[in-house]
Amino acid sequence: MDYIEKLGWDDSIQIEKENAARVITVQKNSYRIADGVEEYLAHLSGKFLNQAMTSLDFPAVGDWVEVQKLQDEQKAVIKQVLPRKSQFVRQAAGTRTDAQIVASNIDTVFIVNSLNYDLNVRRIERYILSTYESGAVPVVVLTKKDECTSDEVEKAISQVEEVAIGVPIIAVSNITGDGFDELNGHLLPEKTVALLGSSGVGKSTMVNTLFDKKVQETKDIREDDSRGRHTTTHREMFILPNGALLIDTPGMRELQLWEGESAMDTAFQDVESLAEQCRFTDCGHDSEPGCRVNQALVDGELSEERFKSYLKLQRELAYEKRRQDQKAKLEEKNKWKKVSKSLKSKYKKRNVR
């Protein structure tokens, strides 16, 4: 087996192996890449920077890139990002309409939540939706099992099951190791898993437990309000002892959706299957006769909170789509302004001669 294959190399990648590497760390404009033998500090080529149009064009942790290696200096130049098989994207923090790739070329997403007051099924819904949209498989991991009674654990799992239909739910303890045998069943050699969740839920501690040594700094959740404190400050990929690839990420208090419309039917298959049974295909699920969704709400088959969340996420996605379309139109307009200005400048120079 080639060394690069332990980084998750896929034969569908159309490039010579000696010119390929995988991004394992991103810190602002600095990239650390690996080829299975060596690690290199990398920067983007001038041509790359000139051709990059949006934030989605730039390398993310998990990306395969074409590089020119400077062996003597242990440095490399990134020439292009190779096509991604999956990418977890969110709306970047702030008021600007910008996409941010959290991790790419991932097979599975561990959606990590703690079994305390911070357990939030609405947040888990968002992560599941974005995971399906990314092309990866979701697994919900509930930490701090050692701090709860068995009844509390069962109650929490039951709550999560209502929104995580068909999704594996694993309760673990980073202290006792309980649940890690089941967790390891989703950590396969040469497959990539991303750890996503809020600050302080135990992602970095989980990395340390899987390594059986300290590789990440950790901080506990504050006891007064159960809110987490940031520990991990950048995204980083690790190779676990069993050969699985694990991407640890900084905590996200809020997950603003960037896309997800095509995954609504999977993430909300319970609501969608009810909607298909409505008498009218264009049913608004309000006061129309023969509305199966309304009947399910009356009977308690579908919770009011679940349906409200479904409608809220649909509105949010529609709003985000309008913002993205407006931004795309503005960027296209500005691009042609630059082209026109450049052509006019060249025309004037020719006439001067």
Side-chain angles (χ1 to χ4, degrees):
M1 181 178 72
D2 292 329
Y3 288 107
I4 199 169
E5 290 180 356
K6 69 182 183 181
L7 294 173
W9 176 268
D10 189 325
D11 286 336
S12 65
I13 301 172
Q14 300 297 311
I15 190 176
E16 296 296 326
K17 290 181 180 179
E18 57 266 26
N19 298 325
R22 198 166 187 194
V23 179
I24 58 174
T25 307
V26 175
Q27 290 180 287
K28 296 185 178 178
N29 297 321
S30 175
Y31 304 90
R32 185 162 290 280
I33 63 173
D35 61 7
V37 179
E38 300 284 352
E39 292 186 7
Y40 303 84
L41 187 64
H43 66 271
L44 304 174
S45 70
K47 183 178 179 181
F48 185 108
L49 290 169
N50 286 332
Q51 293 180 342
M53 298 293 292
T54 71
S55 56
L56 294 175
D57 295 329
F58 287 84
V61 172
D63 270 333
W64 286 101
V65 290
E66 180 185 1
V67 298
Q68 178 185 349
K69 299 171 187 174
L70 308 173
Q71 300 278 7
D72 295 339
E73 301 177 43
Q74 211 66 23
K75 294 182 179 179
V77 179
I78 296 175
K79 299 168 73 174
Q80 68 165 321
V81 175
L82 301 176
R84 300 169 176 129
K85 70 175 182 180
S86 63
Q87 56 181 27
F88 190 102
V89 184
R90 71 163 182 166
Q91 160 67 33
T95 57
R96 292 181 58 187
T97 305
D98 278 318
Q100 181 184 60
I101 300 181
V102 179
S104 68
N105 296 313
I106 49 179
D107 299 287
T108 305
V109 170
F110 282 175
I111 301 166
V112 188
N113 227 278
S114 58
L115 284 162
N116 62 6
Y117 302 112
D118 197 50
L119 181 64
N120 187 322
V121 294
R122 301 279 81 88
R123 188 186 302 144
I124 290 173
E125 274 179 335
R126 287 173 168 268
Y127 277 101
I128 290 173
L129 176 61
S130 292
T131 299
Y132 279 132
E133 185 70 26
S134 78
V137 176
V139 174
V140 177
V141 182
L142 304 176
T143 60
K144 319 278 185 178
K145 186 178 182 180
D146 53 286
E147 299 178 12
C148 305
T149 65
S150 58
D151 287 344
E152 289 172 334
V153 173
E154 287 181 15
K155 182 180 178 182
I157 290 176
S158 179
Q159 289 177 323
V160 176
E161 283 177 337
E162 293 181 9
V163 303
I165 299 168
V167 176
I169 303 169
I170 305 172
V172 303
S173 167
N174 288 318
I175 304 299
T176 67
D178 191 16
F180 272 80
D181 285 343
E182 187 178 356
L183 196 71
N184 280 320
H186 298 275
L187 292 162
L188 305 176
E190 300 169 28
K191 298 296 182 182
T192 306
V193 176
L195 288 178
L196 302 180
S198 302
S199 300
V201 296
K203 298 190 302 297
S204 295
T205 306
M206 190 181 300
V207 175
N208 293 338
T209 303
L210 290 166
F211 270 99
D212 198 25
K213 65 179 181 180
K214 187 173 182 178
V215 295
Q216 290 285 72
E217 291 295 326
T218 60
K219 288 181 182 177
D220 292 329
I221 286 179
R222 295 195 299 259
E223 291 184 4
D224 55 346
D225 60 3
S226 287
R227 294 175 73 90
R229 294 175 288 185
H230 287 287
T231 303
T232 303
T233 57
H234 61 276
R235 300 172 184 88
E236 184 170 359
M237 178 188 291
F238 300 91
I239 301 179
L240 294 175
N242 75 339
L245 298 146
L246 189 67
I247 297 176
D248 192 14
T249 65
M252 293 185 283
R253 172 53 52 180
E254 296 292 338
L255 174 62
Q256 295 187 65
L257 301 178
W258 176 258
E259 53 193 0
E261 188 176 353
S262 64
M264 284 292 287
D265 59 343
T266 307
F268 286 87
Q269 54 189 276
D270 52 339
V271 182
E272 293 278 337
S273 63
L274 289 169
E276 289 174 0
Q277 300 172 46
C278 291
R279 182 184 301 176
F280 303 109
T281 55
D282 60 346
C283 183
H285 315 307
D286 188 11
S287 57
E288 295 89 342
C291 176
R292 181 69 178 85
V293 173
N294 271 329
Q295 187 60 49
L297 289 168
V298 172
D299 296 342
E301 183 182 352
L302 177 66
S303 73
E304 194 78 35
E305 292 78 11
R306 173 74 167 166
F307 185 57
K308 284 181 179 177
S309 179
Y310 170 76
L311 296 177
K312 179 184 177 182
L313 291 175
Q314 281 189 323
R315 290 193 297 270
E316 187 175 331
L317 287 168
Y319 172 72
E320 192 57 50
K321 183 70 165 56
R322 289 195 297 271
R323 287 182 64 191
Q324 292 170 24
D325 288 345
Q326 289 171 355
K327 183 185 179 186
K329 288 177 182 176
L330 182 60
E331 287 176 343
E332 186 72 11
K333 183 178 179 181
N334 289 337
K335 183 182 81 172
W336 287 110
K337 273 186 178 179
K338 289 180 181 178
V339 171
S340 177
K341 187 176 181 180
S342 176
L343 290 173
K344 286 179 180 177
S345 177
K346 289 179 181 178
Y347 179 76
K348 285 181 179 179
K349 287 179 180 179
R350 280 201 302 267
N351 284 346
V352 168
R353 293 194 190 110

